[in-house]
């Protein structure tokens, strides 16, 4: 079966990009990365893609007059590279509705909170300020509203006494890195669909094998 061609959008260190690169390099993984786009020339993820021999484009939002023009440029590059599916992996720009509609049910994002709680930025600081006992991450299809869209999978971690933004973020990132390649595999295998804005897994998916619930940490 042909591999699903991914476009990965980044702005930063690219640790989620790295786990996708690593997964795609394993035998039988049903996806491959056709293109990485960074809106920042300084993003650490660029070197990760280059080291793996994956095409990278730096498209700075600052070079465009508006959001739509910037998004159009990204869309053009994604299509030219043959990308069929978009993974947002620490991409820090808000996308235009037009771009999001073009990739409807073909674009996912990893967000460092248990959505719908803590949309937006500074999720860990806000969770710590609220004293919540559990935090986590969410992989979801992208819709025009910020950090909205059908939830595909979530992983939960405990908030521990003495946690800082850094320690909590690190604990959550461990789970992000398990979740992203696991779910992209299922998507590429056609086992994740959206029905009435709810995600439905194929009948043959063993949900017990997925990092969907509170893991031991
Ligand atoms: C992750 O924590 C992700 O949840 C958020 O941005 C961060 C990206 O980290 N959307 P990295 O660039 O993948 O290391």
């Amino acid at each position: 079966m042909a591999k699903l061609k991914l476009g990965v959008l980044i702005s930063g260190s690219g640790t989620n990009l790295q786990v996708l690169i690593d997964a795609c390099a394993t035998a039988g993984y049903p996806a491959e990365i056709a293109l990485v786009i960074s809106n920042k020339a300084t993003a650490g993820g660029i070197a990760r893609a280059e080291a793996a021999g994956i095409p990278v484009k730096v498209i700075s939002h600052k070079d465009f007059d508006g959001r739509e023009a910037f998004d159009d440029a990204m869309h053009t590059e994604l299509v030219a590279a043959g990308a069929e599916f978009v993974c947002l992996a620490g991409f820090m720009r808000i996308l235009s509705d037009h771009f999001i509609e073009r990739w409807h049910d073909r674009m996912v994002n990893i967000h460092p909170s248990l959505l719908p709680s803590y949309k937006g930025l500074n999720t860990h600081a806000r969770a710590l300020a609220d004293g919540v006992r559990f935090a986590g991450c969410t992989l979801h299809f992208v819709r025009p509203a910020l950090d909205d869209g059908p939830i595909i999978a979530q992983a939960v971690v405990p908030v521990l006494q003495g946690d800082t933004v850094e320690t909590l973020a690190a604990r959550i990132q461990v789970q992000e890195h398990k979740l992203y390649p696991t779910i992209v595999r299922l998507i590429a295998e056609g086992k994740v669909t959206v029905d009435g804005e709810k995600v439905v897994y194929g009948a043959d998916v063993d949900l017990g094998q997925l990092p969907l619930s509170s893991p031991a940490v």
Side-chain angles (χ1 to χ4, degrees), residues 36-101:
V36 172
I37 296 178
S38 173
N39 68 308
K40 288 196 170 182
T42 53
I46 293 170
R48 296 177 189 273
E50 286 173 348
I54 296 168
V56 193
K57 297 269 180 194
V58 175
I59 304 178
S60 174
H61 54 281
K62 294 179 183 164
D63 293 342
F64 296 87
D65 272 343
R67 209 184 290 287
E68 274 79 12
F70 168 60
D71 290 356
D72 279 351
M74 289 197 296
H75 183 79
T76 299
E77 293 293 348
L78 288 165
V79 171
E84 303 161 296
F85 196 92
V86 174
C87 295
L88 304 180
F91 183 69
M92 299 303 286
R93 302 298 301 174
I94 291 176
L95 294 162
S96 61
D97 291 3
H98 183 53
F99 182 90
I100 291 170
E101 296 302 344

Side-chain angles (χ1 to χ4, degrees), residues 1-153:
M1 206 169 94
K3 293 183 180 223
L4 181 69
K5 289 188 167 51
L6 308 175
V8 183
L9 273 49
I10 63 167
S11 301
S13 66
T15 62
N16 281 284
L17 167 65
Q18 186 67 57
V19 293
L20 290 173
I21 291 172
D22 294 346
C24 289
T26 61
Y29 194 78
E32 62 188 355
I33 301 175
L35 179 65
V36 172
I37 296 178
S38 173
N39 68 308
K40 288 196 170 182
T42 53
I46 293 170
R48 296 177 189 273
E50 286 173 348
I54 296 168
V56 193
K57 297 269 180 194
V58 175
I59 304 178
S60 174
H61 54 281
K62 294 179 183 164
D63 293 342
F64 296 87
D65 272 343
R67 209 184 290 287
E68 274 79 12
F70 168 60
D71 290 356
D72 279 351
M74 289 197 296
H75 183 79
T76 299
E77 293 293 348
L78 288 165
V79 171
E84 303 161 296
F85 196 92
V86 174
C87 295
L88 304 180
F91 183 69
M92 299 303 286
R93 302 298 301 174
I94 291 176
L95 294 162
S96 61
D97 291 3
H98 183 53
F99 182 90
I100 291 170
E101 296 302 344
R102 281 170 145 172
W103 294 94
H104 188 84
D105 288 351
R106 296 191 299 141
M107 177 160 60
V108 293
N109 178 47
I110 186 90
H111 181 76
S113 79
L114 296 172
L115 292 174
S117 294
Y118 303 115
K119 296 181 178 184
L121 298 174
N122 304 317
T123 55
H124 309 312
R126 287 153 58 207
L128 289 172
D130 286 344
V132 297
R133 294 300 187 185
F134 291 96
C137 56
T138 303
L139 195 65
H140 65 98
F141 285 104
V142 177
R143 293 292 185 263
L146 181 67
D147 296 324
D148 196 23
I151 291 172
I152 308 166

